[in-house]
């Protein structure tokens, strides 16, 4: 085959929001193969899912079949996070079933370090899959391991493990609502392929 590679994407449970190119709404499940699933938070004023679309495009261009899930309750923080209040973050049984069908998750989180680590813990507590975390804050494996999240570089003590899934890698400095730089996109593609064992 020469040139372009065509991917069929079965997209959108609901119509787009019409903000910045018709963003996918909460509850969207866009299916494209079973290798990688990009997990996006619910879109809103603070949660602009723009980089998620660019990330999935970039991965598909690199021949990594990437599906997308936009969480129904992806805003706010989990109930067990310190100083939680306001909007509660959660994951539904249907979303857990969807995510369990993939080899690797690419979870796009926000800019508040405390929110990022607890959201990742809640997802990985329910889904036994490896993942790559993409976020804005400069977090590392140490931060996740401290609250019982299994990571490839730092492992909590056996009695402190609170997740089934494991963080394979982290990409920081990806800003919500901003166009992602080619350098960051290349880093994500490289780390995703490594986590899949393709690199």
């Amino acid at each position: 085959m020469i040139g372009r590679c065509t991917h069929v994407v079965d997209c959108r449970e609901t119509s787009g929001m019409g903000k910045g190119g018709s963003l996918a709404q909460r509850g969207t499940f866009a299916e494209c193969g079973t290798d990688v699933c990009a997990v996006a938070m619910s879109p809103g004023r603070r949660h602009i899912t723009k980089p998620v679309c660019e990330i999935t495009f970039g991965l598909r261009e690199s021949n990594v079949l990437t599906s997308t899930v936009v969480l129904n309750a992806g805003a706010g923080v989990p109930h067990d996070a310190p100083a939680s209040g306001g909007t509660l973050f959660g994951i539904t049984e249907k979303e857990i079933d969807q995510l369990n069908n993939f080899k690797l998750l690419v979870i796009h989180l926000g800019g508040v370090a405390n929110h990022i680590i607890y959201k990742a813990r809640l997802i990985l507590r329910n889904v036994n899959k490896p993942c790559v975390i993409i976020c804005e804050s400069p977090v590392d494996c140490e931060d996740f391991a401290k609250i019982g999240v299994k990571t490839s570089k730092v492992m909590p003590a056996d009695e402190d493990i609170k997740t089934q899934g494991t963080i394979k890698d982290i990409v920081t400095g990806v800003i919500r609502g901003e166009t992602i730089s080619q350098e960051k996109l290349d880093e994500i593609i490289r780390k995703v392929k490594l986590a899949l064992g393709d690199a």
Side-chain angles (χ1 to χ4, degrees):
M1 186 155 158
I2 301 166
R4 288 170 184 252
C5 174
T6 306
H7 295 210
V8 175
V9 183
D10 178 11
C11 194
R12 292 214 181 130
E13 206 164 283
T14 47
S15 61
M17 285 168 65
K19 196 189 289 176
S22 207
L23 285 175
Q25 286 225 43
R26 64 187 68 223
T28 292
F29 179 47
E31 201 168 354
C32 176
T34 55
D35 284 348
V36 176
C37 186
V39 183
M41 302 301 103
S42 315
R45 275 197 318 280
R46 283 181 66 231
H47 282 257
I48 306 296
T49 48
K50 180 179 179 183
V52 180
C53 299
E54 294 171 349
I55 290 161
T56 47
F57 255 73
L59 286 167
R60 286 175 190 154
E61 275 184 349
S62 300
N63 272 336
V64 178
L65 296 177
T66 308
S67 299
T68 311
V69 165
V70 182
L71 295 179
N72 254 308
V77 286
H79 67 88
D80 58 356
S84 69
T87 319
L88 272 185
F89 171 84
I91 185 167
T92 65
E93 286 296 327
K94 181 182 173 188
E95 288 164 347
I96 291 166
D97 289 345
Q98 286 170 336
L99 297 181
N100 270 315
N101 290 323
F102 294 91
K103 292 179 192 165
L104 178 74
L105 305 181
V106 174
I107 303 175
H108 180 263
L109 296 159
V112 183
N114 210 28
H115 293 189
I116 292 165
I117 58 176
Y118 285 96
K119 282 181 171 183
R121 183 173 79 176
L122 182 72
I123 294 169
L124 295 176
R125 184 186 288 151
N126 291 287
V127 184
N128 187 8
K129 293 289 170 183
C131 80
V132 174
I133 299 286
I134 298 171
C135 59
E136 190 177 329
S137 286
V139 292
D140 58 23
C141 287
E142 199 76 52
D143 297 315
F144 289 99
K146 274 183 199 152
I147 62 159
V149 181
K150 295 194 289 186
T151 77
S152 59
K153 295 178 179 73
V154 185
M155 201 52 97
D158 286 351
E159 64 275 15
D160 296 331
I161 291 175
K162 293 190 168 78
T163 61
Q164 301 181 69
T166 306
I167 294 174
K168 286 287 187 190
D169 225 325
I170 301 168
V171 180
T172 60
V174 177
I175 302 163
R176 282 188 306 208
E178 299 285 321
T179 295
I180 189 168
S181 70
Q182 189 60 48
E183 188 186 351
K184 280 289 163 195
L185 198 52
D186 291 345
E187 184 186 346
I188 291 166
I189 292 163
R190 189 177 74 249
K191 288 182 172 178
V192 165
K193 285 189 168 182
L194 262 173
L196 280 171
D198 290 350

